Amino acid sequence: MKLKNLESLLGDLEQFSNPKIELEQYPTGPHIASRMLYTAENSFGDVSGKVVADFGCGCGTLGIAAALLGAEHVLGIDVDAESLEIASSNAEELEVEMNFVQCDIQNLKLRGLTVDTIVMNPPFGTRRKGADMDFLSSALKVASVAVYSLHKTSTRDHIKRAAIRDFNASTAEVLCELRYDVPQLYKFHKKREVDIAVDLWRFAPKRVQ
Amino acid sequence: MRLLTHNMLSCNVKGVTNGFPLIIQADKVLEKPAELNHDFLRNMFYKVDWKALVDAAKSMGYSELPESAEASMLESLDFLNRFHHALMELHLEEGALICPETGRKFPVDKGIPNMLLHEDEV
């Protein structure tokens, strides 16, 4: 599938109707989502034929992108029932198979090394400090091949240090810098739309001996 | 929810040590055809807990898997078909997952298990 087609399919997905600020629910736009999964597949071969999990899947954009690019099994995990309902109908709409589990990422217990690749757009930790780090730490415990994640560019050094030193990553690499459009979703947003710089990361976990 | 997902989940309540595999209460099971991918199945064979898969499939009304399996069986197309069907095509749509140690029930609604914990379980 071409990048353009992927982006256009993802553009039709339904997004949060009542976003919850405490969960930092921001939609992952089709531009970013398509580039993230396209890179994972075409530069690293981490999607097609793999088991992919989408941590904090929200309306399912990243997981659906993985399924469209040929992931064999996709698991979306989110704490919020409403989001999962939208995600499930989004997957149905695009006729891709996706499994969902309602769970807090912090309390998730997945057995073994069955998940190959994790894709996620975690909360940036602006509402609850450290939420981004909790996601990263959990993801690096579960993925056996790679974790793709978005983090604010302003936190780059901190992310790299924590991933390698504290979360057992063998590599932590910024693949590209993207602009994340934050639409005016919440009342406290003064401007109509804000652009923030985010990094697309690829982390590889240390292989279990 | 496919049994592949079931094969990864364990009870996440704090203090539980034998929370795997979760017992399936199947109120509604769906069968959705999926394309068989040999390489994927061969790879998955070494990752799934076979006994958990056999028991899960049985509780969903499918008893065509051998009780024990070894890698040489992967040469058989018949075996691959059964393995594929159990792992990828059977879906738990309504019911519950039950912790084998504590009996804690996690409801499954529209194919989505609810693994949220109560405050005193974290």
Side-chain angles (χ1 to χ4, degrees):
Chain A
M1 185 180 293
K2 292 215 172 83
L3 177 61
K4 248 193 342 199
N5 301 83
L6 181 65
E7 182 171 349
S8 127
L9 284 170
L10 297 178
D12 292 336
L13 298 178
E14 192 190 336
Q15 297 298 337
F16 303 106
S17 42
N18 296 301
K20 300 181 179 66
I21 187 57
E22 68 278 14
L23 297 174
E24 290 189 49
Q25 290 181 333
Y26 291 96
T28 315
H31 177 83
I32 286 192
S34 57
R35 271 145 194 86
M36 188 169 174
L37 271 295
Y38 199 78
T39 305
E41 173 57 14
N42 290 288
S43 305
F44 298 95
D46 286 340
V47 179
S48 170
K50 306 284 185 201
V51 174
V52 177
D54 180 350
F55 273 19
C57 68
C59 300
T61 311
L62 295 176
I64 289 169
L68 287 168
L69 292 180
E72 198 65 29
H73 182 69
V74 185
L75 182 58
I77 299 157
D78 205 286
V79 72
D80 180 42
E82 271 178 66
S83 298
L84 289 170
E85 219 168 283
I86 299 174
S88 173
S89 82
N90 276 337
E92 219 167 286
E93 196 68 32
L94 286 187
E95 297 178 340
V96 295
E97 181 57 46
M98 191 167 165
N99 276 193
F100 297 98
V101 172
Q102 187 181 3
C103 191
D104 190 331
I105 294 296
Q106 268 183 288
N107 306 327
L108 182 70
K109 234 170 126 184
L110 288 182
R111 189 194 65 86
L113 290 168
T114 314
V115 175
D116 298 303
T117 305
I118 289 175
V119 292
M120 61 185 191
N121 175 15
F124 290 144
T126 47
R127 302 300 287 190
R128 187 171 70 74
K129 215 173 151 21
D132 50 345
M133 288 304 175
D134 290 342
F135 268 69
L136 186 56
S137 147
S138 304
L140 277 163
K141 280 182 201 143
V142 170
S144 60
V145 176
V147 175
Y148 292 84
S149 183
L150 298 167
H151 298 274
K152 276 178 152 171
T153 300
S154 57
T155 60
R156 188 179 291 180
D157 294 342
H158 176 54
I159 299 274
K160 180 145 199 160
R161 208 175 319 121
I164 303 273
R165 189 191 58 195
D166 305 329
F167 304 150
N168 220 21
S170 66
T171 62
E173 191 188 344
V174 174
L175 301 178
C176 62
E177 201 179 306
L178 295 156
R179 312 298 303 180
Y180 193 99
D181 308 325
V182 181
Q184 190 181 28
L185 277 181
Y186 300 107
K187 280 204 183 108
F188 67 85
H189 286 156
K190 301 241 161 35
K191 292 186 190 145
R192 220 153 58 83
E193 208 170 81
V194 187
D195 240 14
I196 53 171
V198 295
D199 293 335
L200 169 57
W201 286 86
R202 182 182 190 271
F203 305 93
K206 276 201 188 115
R207 297 246 173 254
V208 181
Q209 297 299 314
Chain B
M1 183 193 68
R2 284 174 170 158
L3 292 188
L4 174 50
T5 297
H6 169 263
N7 212 279
M8 299 182 214
L9 291 177
S10 55
C11 177
N12 53 351
V13 172
K14 196 183 169 196
V16 169
T17 48
N18 294 308
F20 179 86
L22 294 160
I23 298 158
I24 293 179
Q25 173 196 315
D27 296 336
K28 186 176 172 196
V29 175
L30 295 181
E31 287 184 28
K32 300 186 205 169
E35 213 169 299
L36 187 146
N37 177 337
H38 288 203
D39 292 338
F40 180 76
L41 288 176
R42 286 195 184 99
N43 182 18
M44 271 304 127
F45 180 79
Y46 297 99
K47 295 186 175 180
V48 298
D49 182 306
W50 187 259
K51 190 176 178 329
L53 179 66
V54 172
D55 291 345
K58 269 189 206 159
S59 60
M60 307 262 281
Y62 184 75
S63 357
E64 307 294 316
L65 290 178
E67 288 295 327
S68 62
E70 47 190 276
S72 64
M73 292 178 169
L74 292 166
E75 303 303 317
S76 150
L77 190 57
D78 178 54
F79 173 78
L80 284 178
N81 277 325
R82 291 170 195 223
F83 180 27
H84 171 71
H85 183 67
L87 194 71
M88 307 295 281
E89 296 187 320
L90 290 177
H91 291 253
L92 179 61
E93 183 69 4
E94 302 290 340
L97 303 175
I98 300 160
C99 171
E101 185 177 306
T102 62
R104 163 72 148 91
K105 229 178 191 183
F106 300 94
V108 177
D109 184 22
K110 294 191 193 110
I112 305 178
N114 178 349
M115 308 288 292
L116 292 183
L117 300 177
H118 305 304
E119 249 170 60
D120 57 350
E121 294 176 325
V122 178

